[in-house]
Amino acid sequence: MLKDGLGRELTYLRISLTDKCNLRCRYCVPPCGVKLKEHKDILTLEETQRLVDIFTKLGVNKVRFTGGEPLVRKNAVGLIKNVSKLTNAPHIFITTNGVLLEDYIDYLCDASVKDINISLDTLDPSVFESITGSDSLSSVIEGIRSCLVRGINLKINTVPLKGINEDEIPALAGLARDNNLSVRFIELMPIGCAASYEGISNDEVKRRLIDVYGQGVKAEAEGGGPAEYMMFEGFRGKVGFISPISHSFCLQCNRLRLTCDGKLKLCLASLVSVDLKFLIRSGASDEDISATIIDAVKNKPSHHEFSSGVFDPGNSGMIGIGG
Ligand code: SAM
């Protein structure tokens, strides 16, 4: 079992498969775009699979594929299928913007994926275009339908932004009234270009939902994650709140991150990383890589530093790190 210096057990690995994305969400990608990593610097799918195998032998039991947009990575589903067949196969999750889901959903089901998070900040096509720079809202809605039809455990993740989509908070939560899925509101973190936008605290989001849907009751948390859940009367699904700013959950953090160029990050908001790709490409054995990981995680920061200002990852916003 991987443990950091505070005794936190690190059982959850988030893997960014690519820094490319088919959307340009304005709080995630700066207006000038991002400098993409060179192809030679991106972990191959085989290298990624090898690292997943090593991490699972060290006790990681949950792996989330994210990005960039994971589904734009060529043969991402092939990798996911291979990971699902590992001896210590982890529970596999995907976070996607949903645009390509319709094309890949059957392959993902075939790879035993049962849990998908779709990021969706608006139900209005013109607001969607203004946030993402794309007119593909209908593809995302199709993606949601395809997941529901196939019985995928679906979560919709929404980042409320002042003056942009805040008036849609009740309508977005309403997706959990009408469908068997969870809708989760995530507080905007001041990462790179996101610092030019104002988020809304989840206490405020809850107040607005209670005004529309009534008091609601606390609901059971899911999968050991940081979201708190509520159930409103007449809802089929839950509404969740992920509040890294107003109610930091760092003390319970069980996460590690692997960037698409093979850097192990111990905290979303830290510039410190360990270069696992360098180790792999210099011929290190699995034992050497395991020892490096065991040693590195001891230095996981105790908490993020968002309260002391903007976190600047150098290359833009969340997209440069892997969301
Ligand atoms: N392309 C995939 C997607 O859209 O789900 C995965 C990557 S995306 C960076 C993952 C999530 O990060 C999205 O839900 C996005 O809204 C969220 N995100 C990006 N920047 C953020 C920020 N500064 N604060 C909070 N969430 C952010």
Side-chain angles (χ1 to χ4, degrees), residues 21 27-28 66-70 95-97 119 121 157 159 186-189 191 194 318-319 323:
C21 190
Y27 57 90
C28 191
T66 177
E69 170 50 40
T95 293
T96 170
N97 58 36
S119 306
D121 296 331
N157 287 336
V159 178
I186 304 179
E187 288 177 345
L188 182 74
M189 293 174 275
I191 299 175
M318 189 78 120
I319 193 168

Side-chain angles (χ1 to χ4, degrees), residues 14 16 18 20-23 25-29 64-71 94-98 117-121 156-159 161 186-195 244-245 268 306 317-323:
R14 297 177 68 103
S16 173
T18 175
K20 292 185 184 149
C21 190
N22 45 358
L23 296 183
C25 299
R26 27 169 154 151
Y27 57 90
C28 191
V29 184
R64 177 175 302 281
F65 292 102
T66 177
E69 170 50 40
L71 296 180
I94 294 177
T95 293
T96 170
N97 58 36
N117 290 2
I118 297 182
S119 306
L120 179 63
D121 296 331
I156 305 294
N157 287 336
T158 291
V159 178
L161 302 163
I186 304 179
E187 288 177 345
L188 182 74
M189 293 174 275
I191 299 175
C193 55
I245 304 300
L268 174 65
F306 290 138
M318 189 78 120
I319 193 168
I321 309 170

Side-chain angles (χ1 to χ4, degrees), residues 25 51 102 122 125 157 160 221 255 269 304 309:
C25 299
L51 286 175
E102 177 74 353
T122 174
N157 287 336
R255 299 169 180 211
H304 66 63

